[in-house]
Amino acid sequence: MGLSDQVQKSVAIKPDVVNDNIWTRGYEKELGIKIKYLWTVPGAQMEQKMNVAISSNDLPDIIPANPRQFKMLVDTGVAMDITQLFDQYASDFTKKMMEADKNIGLNQATVEGKLMGIPQLNGAIDAASMIWIRADWLKNLGLEPPKTIDDVMKIAEAFTKNDPDRNGANDTYGLGLVKDLMGGFAVLDGFFEGYHGYVNGWIDDGSGNLVFGGIQPPIKSALAKLAEMYKNGYIDKEFSVKDTAKVAESVTAGKVGMLYGQHWNPFYPLQDAKNKDPKADWQAFPIVSVDSVPAKPMINGSAATFYVVNKKMKNPEAAVKLYNYFYAKDPAISPDFDPAYHGKNGEQEKIPDQNYQLATMTSFYPQQNLFIHQSVNKYFNEKDQSVLENYWVKDNVEQIENYKAGDNKLWSGYAWAGPDNSAFNVIESYDKNDLFLQNGYIKADTESTTQKGATLNQMRSETFTKIIMGAAPVDEFDAYVTKWRKLGGDDITKEVNAAK
């Protein structure tokens, strides 16, 4: 390519900036809306800058707010009631996305029956717990995947004592666990859920009131079983000092055969384990129950950002139109999808990973990942070529086909959305069988939670760790419950029930 060709190419592909990009040009040309930014900051500084703006009442017409800021804007009277506005101007497709979200995001944005913001949707169901197990170890030992908690115990014991990797050494243990106990990788959320215990959630007490799941009797029963597992060596004796990176090292080294986690685990760290040992066959399975009642993974809110419309905005319908526009142009699921807005072709092909971030208002298809999996299944099991018209699906199909052809480094895509014992096979089974349990409280932290929540969580972590390691008896849980209530838990419970 000559110099003149390079110059022409640089002119044809105009670098996008925050005030002039494919989105702002589209807003003005197609909607007649011209965007002016009051200020911009790097993402890491956003919360602090917005807090200052709220305090000084120096706010734009459309205010992106986290849950705590959203509550502040509602409480101070800045937020506009957009109930009728949204009903009138939201496109059919936007409303379809809300329905796909089971209206979770809308419920988060509703205060006393009034819609006070537009939720930026993500996938609430994606955070569901599952069990990851080395199926090659199951095969070596002649074991089946677990159907009950007792099966989990038997597998943990066999993976610890029976040389599952056939290396002749006593160097494996059954259940991976990080020191933080809860989260998304090598954690206990799914184990507690197997006992119908919800350590981070709010559940109905049977009379219409919410109680904190983390202080209920099922948690004590689960802790007793975990203490037994630790005593028997099924859990790493040093788990209490191992963070995610350290446990990931054990997984990669082939020392761990089972863990509770989430859908993203194949990308980190299970892919590293596969790279090191191609025989490492990690597969996903649903969480299992301690009794005849099916285990239900808890799901939380789907929105962490809310677009608040300032009461002073002269044309507030513009906010809903901008939101509609993102759905129309960006997600490949939309019938009006334009690939240029997602950086796949045309003027955007040189900046493929950032142009959606330049949109003033963004949101996502809340069941996007499940949709990908279902479409991948149609391709492989039903030979449906039409699904490849969707670039998300096409990209995943290509990765899976390349893995099947021998590219081991693409195994994670197969384990994530593939047709066989993948993460989204599990999530699809939860969805089909109506097994998701919605957290009873998914709105902003209450005042007492903000003030005392960190202390209570620290006390929980310390108490649970001591019980698991045998440094405290299981009955210490009862003392913990009493302390939790006195040190702020009762106040939080009252506020949650008042705000639900």
Side-chain angles (χ1 to χ4, degrees):
M1 178 183 289
L3 180 60
S4 59
D5 291 331
Q6 292 177 350
V7 171
Q8 290 173 6
K9 186 69 172 178
S10 67
V11 171
I13 303 176
K14 183 180 180 181
D16 275 353
V17 293
V18 69
N19 289 305
D20 184 8
N21 57 69
I22 192 170
W23 291 98
T24 58
R25 295 189 289 272
Y27 296 150
E28 189 166 7
K29 181 179 179 181
E30 299 183 46
L31 301 180
I33 298 173
K34 190 166 184 176
I35 298 296
K36 180 181 177 182
Y37 291 94
L38 190 61
W39 47 261
T40 61
V41 294
Q45 300 171 23
M46 179 67 178
E47 181 174 5
Q48 181 180 3
K49 176 66 175 178
M50 184 58 72
N51 286 340
V52 172
I54 293 172
S55 298
S56 60
N57 199 27
D58 182 21
L59 294 164
D61 290 332
I62 302 172
I63 310 162
N66 65 29
R68 190 175 302 172
Q69 294 164 344
F70 171 71
K71 186 177 186 302
M72 291 170 60
L73 292 167
V74 172
D75 291 346
T76 55
V78 172
M80 178 184 293
D81 174 3
I82 59 170
T83 308
Q84 293 183 356
L85 201 70
F86 190 82
D87 184 61
Q88 180 179 353
Y89 288 99
S91 67
D92 289 342
F93 189 74
T94 291
K95 291 178 179 178
K96 180 181 178 181
M97 292 298 96
M98 299 299 157
E99 292 169 4
D101 185 48
K102 306 181 191 301
N103 291 322
I104 295 172
L106 284 180
N107 288 339
Q108 287 180 267
T110 298
V111 180
E112 296 180 354
K114 300 175 182 178
L115 185 64
M116 304 303 292
I118 307 176
Q120 182 191 73
L121 302 183
N122 285 286
I125 65 174
D126 288 1
S129 303
M130 61 192 66
I131 311 174
W132 289 96
I133 305 177
R134 281 198 58 163
D136 56 314
W137 286 12
L138 290 176
K139 185 176 180 181
N140 286 346
L141 300 177
L143 298 172
E144 295 294 323
K147 291 183 171 56
T148 67
I149 289 291
D150 282 343
D151 292 338
V152 169
M153 287 289 291
K154 291 174 184 176
I155 292 170
E157 179 180 15
F159 281 3
T160 303
K161 296 181 176 180
N162 297 347
D163 191 22
D165 56 358
R166 296 292 189 254
N167 70 348
N170 183 20
D171 60 353
T172 58
Y173 53 93
L175 186 68
L177 183 59
V178 296
K179 64 178 183 177
D180 296 328
L181 303 183
M182 269 68 79
F185 163 72
V187 287
L188 295 176
D189 305 63
F191 189 87
F192 286 123
E193 288 165 350
Y195 280 78
H196 318 301
Y198 299 93
V199 74
N200 278 316
W202 293 86
I203 55 178
D204 195 308
D205 68 355
S207 64
N209 292 318
L210 294 177
V211 293
F212 186 57
I215 61 169
Q216 304 308 312
I219 303 298
K220 182 178 180 181
S221 299
L223 286 170
K225 184 62 69 174
L226 289 163
E228 179 184 340
M229 294 176 72
Y230 181 85
K231 181 179 179 181
N232 291 334
Y234 308 162
I235 298 172
D236 185 355
K237 294 291 186 182
E238 297 180 351
F239 84 86
S240 64
V241 295
K242 291 190 173 181
D243 58 13
T244 295
K246 285 296 183 182
V247 178
E249 288 177 8
S250 296
V251 169
T252 302
K255 306 301 182 185
V256 178
M258 178 169 53
L259 56 89
Y260 284 83
Q262 294 180 1
H263 74 91
W264 51 267
N265 293 175
F267 300 104
Y268 175 81
L270 303 185
Q271 180 65 65
D272 291 338
K274 188 73 172 178
N275 292 344
K276 184 169 183 178
D277 180 6
K279 297 191 298 297
D281 184 18
W282 284 96
Q283 295 183 13
F285 300 94
I287 60 172
V288 293
S289 175
V290 70
D291 53 31
S292 60
V293 179
K296 291 187 175 185
M298 179 170 277
I299 57 174
N300 296 295
S302 61
T305 296
F306 303 89
Y307 297 106
V308 174
V309 180
N310 196 321
K311 269 188 177 178
K312 298 178 181 179
M313 188 173 183
K314 293 181 180 179
N315 302 106
E317 70 278 2
V320 186
K321 291 180 179 179
L322 291 170
Y323 190 82
N324 291 338
Y325 192 80
F326 181 84
Y327 268 134
K329 296 297 183 180
D330 192 75
I333 189 67
S334 169
D336 301 320
F337 167 65
D338 184 344
Y341 283 76
H342 212 279
K344 293 295 180 181
N345 65 5
E347 65 173 301
Q348 296 301 302
E349 75 178 334
K350 291 297 182 182
I351 52 168
D353 298 322
Q354 67 180 29
N355 36 340
Y356 83 90
Q357 298 173 358
L358 295 171
T360 298
M361 299 177 73
T362 62
S363 196
F364 303 95
Y365 177 38
Q367 293 195 350
Q368 168 186 320
N369 294 334
L370 179 57
F371 166 80
I372 291 171
H373 164 70
Q374 291 170 336
S375 299
V376 166
N377 264 354
K378 287 181 180 178
Y379 176 82
F380 284 104
N381 295 331
E382 302 173 22
K383 312 303 179 186
D384 185 348
Q385 298 280 329
S386 68
V387 299
L388 299 180
E389 295 176 6
N390 181 289
Y391 76 84
W392 285 328
V393 177
K394 183 179 179 182
D395 182 59
N396 279 270
V397 164
E398 289 175 352
Q399 289 188 42
I400 292 170
E401 286 188 320
N402 287 333
Y403 161 68
K404 286 178 171 287
D407 189 346
N408 207 47
K409 292 183 178 180
L410 295 177
W411 167 85
S412 52
Y414 172 79
W416 180 71
D420 306 307
N421 290 336
S422 66
F424 275 89
N425 254 337
V426 173
I427 289 179
E428 183 177 31
S429 73
Y430 293 151
D431 191 52
K432 284 182 176 179
N433 293 295
D434 193 28
L435 290 177
F436 294 116
L437 180 66
Q438 179 65 58
N439 192 340
Y441 186 77
I442 54 175
K443 297 188 178 180
D445 286 348
T446 69
E447 183 177 350
S448 292
T449 303
T450 301
Q451 294 175 354
K452 304 170 184 177
T455 299
L456 294 178
N457 287 342
Q458 180 65 27
M459 181 175 67
R460 177 188 63 189
S461 179
E462 292 173 356
T463 303
F464 286 14
T465 298
K466 288 179 180 178
I467 291 173
I468 293 170
M469 297 181 70
V474 174
D475 286 343
E476 183 69 18
F477 178 81
D478 301 324
Y480 155 74
V481 171
T482 300
K483 291 178 184 176
W484 184 90
R485 297 182 62 180
K486 287 183 177 179
L487 295 177
D490 279 348
D491 293 333
I492 293 172
T493 302
K494 289 177 185 177
E495 292 170 354
V496 163
N497 278 282
K500 66 181 179 181

